[in-house]
Amino acid sequence: MILPGESDEAIAAAVQALRAGELLGLPTETVYGLAADAASDVAVARIFAAKGRPADHPLIVHVADAEGVAHFAAQLPDFAQRLIQAFWPGPLTLILPRRPGVGQAAAGGQDSIGLRCPAHPVARALLKACAAQGLHGLAAPSANRFGRVSPTTAAHVRDEFGDALLVLDGGACQVGIESTIVDCTRGVPVLLRPGQIGRAQVEAACGQRLRSQDELQAPDPRASGTLEAHYAPSAKLRLMDARALQDGLDLLGREAARLAVYARVPLKSPSAGVILRRMPEDAAAAAQELFAVLRALDDQGVRLIWVEAPPDTPEWEGVRDRLRRAAAA
């Protein structure tokens, strides 16, 4: 059941459902989440079961404010505090040392936990209402089956889980790809997943160089969305450069069928069985529509999606990451 997220009655119903251990479709500025009370191992187990997600693959916990951070995190390094001041509420997740005895199921059994304070007004209203009722945070991975395309509208969530799930409708997500994840458990900031907030922004805010995963000897903590194959549509996705796309269309000619091409350059095909979609030239606009486009092409029954590889520039890093993982599936 989809309810208008700006309604006080809908927020109250959502809090009641969460307190009862039920799941909820939650809008954020990045993607829609499948939320449950992070303190309830039983409720969190329902997330894993609904998504078909391995129980040792951790979830991000969404909090309303600094009190939520203090409830889940054992310590907060100075550079992490600077990142919070710069980017929260917003699309940045911090991996922090976990307080013993809290959020164990949501953390996938690790001694660290991922925390984020979302900027979406519906998510913020719900988290504040939850905090007033003693719910310190909501575990909320993307509201889709494990490894598949993330949802960016309430209708996408309903398509995944049916009408029985309560979903707060917050409109189409403005960012469109998941949050940047920075590991703050090893004394220096380490990028685990790129997103809208880029490397240069993180470094400027925290006053330290942002390390990559392969620079440090110690193993990285497991984190959401970091599997090699992820974010995949049902159709097979292939990344190609612009010349290869047009050459492929010319080679297939009129025989091409059930093929979609998503590219920034204008392309031509003589076949009526080819769907041509233009990708925005702007990285933020491309990120905002990416998952919705992949879902729409799946709905049109294509078997293969050719995508023009994004530019190798910092602003496109988040989109490149999602497409690379989708192509690996």
Side-chain angles (χ1 to χ4, degrees):
M1 174 173 55
I2 297 177
L3 296 179
E6 69 277 5
S7 161
D8 292 341
E9 292 79 8
I11 294 292
V15 174
Q16 183 178 4
L18 291 164
R19 292 187 67 191
E22 298 176 15
L23 303 185
L24 173 77
L26 173 67
T28 79
E29 72 276 21
T30 56
V31 301
Y32 274 70
L34 185 63
D37 178 7
S40 169
D41 288 354
V42 173
V44 169
R46 289 179 178 146
I47 294 179
F48 287 110
K51 285 178 63 71
R53 182 187 182 110
D56 66 349
H57 198 65
L59 312 177
I60 292 171
V61 175
H62 295 64
V63 297
D65 49 33
E67 288 186 16
V69 176
H71 178 80
F72 290 100
Q75 62 185 83
L76 189 65
D78 289 343
F79 70 84
Q81 181 63 55
R82 290 193 289 271
L83 290 174
I84 287 175
Q85 291 171 345
F87 299 116
W88 279 16
L92 177 69
T93 294
L94 302 181
I95 307 296
L96 298 166
R98 180 173 61 85
R99 281 183 54 216
V102 297
Q104 181 168 342
Q110 298 187 117
D111 59 5
S112 61
I113 192 163
L115 300 178
R116 182 166 96 85
C117 179
H120 195 289
V122 173
R124 293 194 55 71
L126 177 65
L127 286 165
K128 289 179 180 178
C130 285
Q133 295 292 321
L135 276 64
H136 297 284
L138 300 179
S142 57
N144 54 277
R145 308 293 178 180
F146 186 60
R148 310 307 293 178
V149 178
S150 299
T152 55
T153 68
H156 292 163
V157 181
R158 180 189 57 205
D159 291 346
E160 288 280 340
F161 297 109
D163 280 328
L165 178 69
L166 175 60
V167 182
L168 295 180
D169 190 350
C173 298
Q174 292 302 302
V175 175
I177 60 174
E178 297 81 359
S179 59
T180 303
I181 300 180
V182 176
D183 177 16
C184 302
T185 65
R186 289 178 284 178
V188 294
V190 182
L191 181 66
L192 299 186
R193 181 177 71 185
Q196 183 191 60
I197 297 172
R199 293 172 184 263
Q201 293 171 278
V202 172
E203 292 177 341
C206 73
Q208 295 191 39
R209 183 171 69 86
L210 182 59
R211 309 295 183 92
S212 298
Q213 296 187 55
D214 56 4
E215 289 185 56
L216 303 179
Q217 296 296 324
D220 294 305
R222 296 184 304 275
S224 295
T226 55
L227 295 177
E228 186 61 29
H230 213 62
Y231 312 114
S234 297
K236 180 65 178 176
L237 189 146
R238 182 180 176 190
L239 285 172
M240 306 165 67
D241 63 32
R243 174 171 291 183
L245 288 171
Q246 188 59 66
D247 288 347
L249 290 171
D250 292 342
L251 181 63
L252 291 173
R254 295 183 180 276
E255 302 302 315
R258 299 183 67 182
L259 166 67
V261 184
Y262 185 45
R264 298 179 309 285
V265 297
L267 299 168
K268 295 181 179 180
S269 171
S271 173
V274 174
I275 299 170
L276 299 176
R277 288 283 300 256
R278 287 293 295 272
M279 181 187 295
E281 296 285 348
D282 176 72
Q288 197 275 334
E289 74 169 37
L290 175 63
F291 290 145
V293 167
L294 296 182
R295 281 179 171 269
L297 295 176
D298 266 346
D299 290 342
Q300 290 177 270
V302 302
R303 291 183 299 184
L304 184 63
I305 302 173
W306 290 354
V307 180
E308 183 182 355
D312 189 15
T313 54
E315 65 270 20
W316 284 91
E317 186 175 15
V319 175
R320 286 200 313 275
D321 173 80
R322 303 315 189 272
L323 286 171
R324 179 181 62 80
R325 296 180 195 274

